[in-house]
């Protein structure tokens, strides 16, 4: 998507304005720091003239081949992590009638 954005003559800032978002949004998904929602990906494909079907096929094939594109599991596997017990916070007591009288 980044390459297509560059080929289409869009800066991250210009694309972010079209998407009604920030340049950081574009930067983070291009660098892999952020995942795109499916609908966001489709919208970006529409703007950049990318065939969403081809993009989806490319991603599926890369995932099946366990290529570098699939470097993280999402959501992360936490089955081996043991949780520490959490402390229950004290509850706040409130007398509603006394609050109403003060107003």
């Amino acid at each position: 998507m980044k390459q297509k954005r560059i080929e289409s003559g869009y800066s991250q800032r210009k694309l972010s304005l079209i998407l009604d978002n920030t340049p950081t949004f574009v930067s983070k998904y291009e660098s892999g720091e952020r995942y795109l929602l499916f609908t966001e990906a489709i919208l970006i494909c529409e703007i950049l003239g990318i065939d969403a079907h081809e993009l989806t096929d490319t991603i599926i094939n890369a995932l099946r081949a366990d290529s570098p594109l699939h470097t993280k599991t999402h959501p992360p596997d936490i089955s081996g992590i043991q949780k520490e017990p959490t402390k229950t916070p004290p509850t706040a007591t409130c007398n509603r009638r006394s609050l109403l009288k003060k107003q």
Side-chain angles (χ1 to χ4, degrees), residues 1-6 10-48 50 55 59 69 72:
M1 291 178 104
K2 178 180 179 178
Q3 184 62 36
K4 187 65 173 176
R5 174 186 58 78
I6 294 168
Y10 289 102
S11 65
Q12 287 182 344
R13 184 178 180 340
K14 185 175 178 181
L15 181 58
S16 70
L17 290 171
I18 294 168
L19 294 170
D20 193 28
N21 216 311
T22 65
T24 304
F25 168 80
V26 176
S27 173
K28 285 190 175 188
Y29 83 72
E30 284 186 350
S31 68
E33 290 181 53
R34 180 195 189 286
Y35 289 106
L36 286 173
L37 297 175
F38 185 72
T39 52
E40 293 169 335
I42 297 298
L43 177 60
I44 294 166
C45 285
E46 288 289 316
I47 293 167
L48 299 178
I50 298 171
L55 179 64
I59 293 169
L69 180 63
K72 299 177 186 175

Side-chain angles (χ1 to χ4, degrees), residues 5 16 22 36 43 49 59 61 64 93 95 97-99:
R5 174 186 58 78
S16 70
T22 65
L36 286 173
L43 177 60
I59 293 169
N61 291 332
R64 286 183 181 149
T93 56
N95 185 340
R97 288 190 180 141
S98 66
L99 289 174

Side-chain angles (χ1 to χ4, degrees), residues 42-103:
I42 297 298
L43 177 60
I44 294 166
C45 285
E46 288 289 316
I47 293 167
L48 299 178
I50 298 171
D51 183 340
H53 296 308
E54 286 182 28
L55 179 64
T56 304
D57 288 342
T58 301
I59 293 169
I60 289 170
N61 291 332
L63 292 173
R64 286 183 181 149
D66 199 28
S67 75
L69 180 63
H70 187 244
T71 57
K72 299 177 186 175
T73 57
H74 188 70
D77 180 17
I78 59 169
S79 59
I81 300 173
Q82 194 171 27
K83 291 184 180 179
E84 292 185 27
T86 56
K87 295 180 181 176
T88 306
T91 57
T93 56
C94 177
N95 185 340
R96 187 174 179 193
R97 288 190 180 141
S98 66
L99 289 174
L100 292 174
K101 287 179 187 177
K102 290 179 184 179
Q103 292 178 357

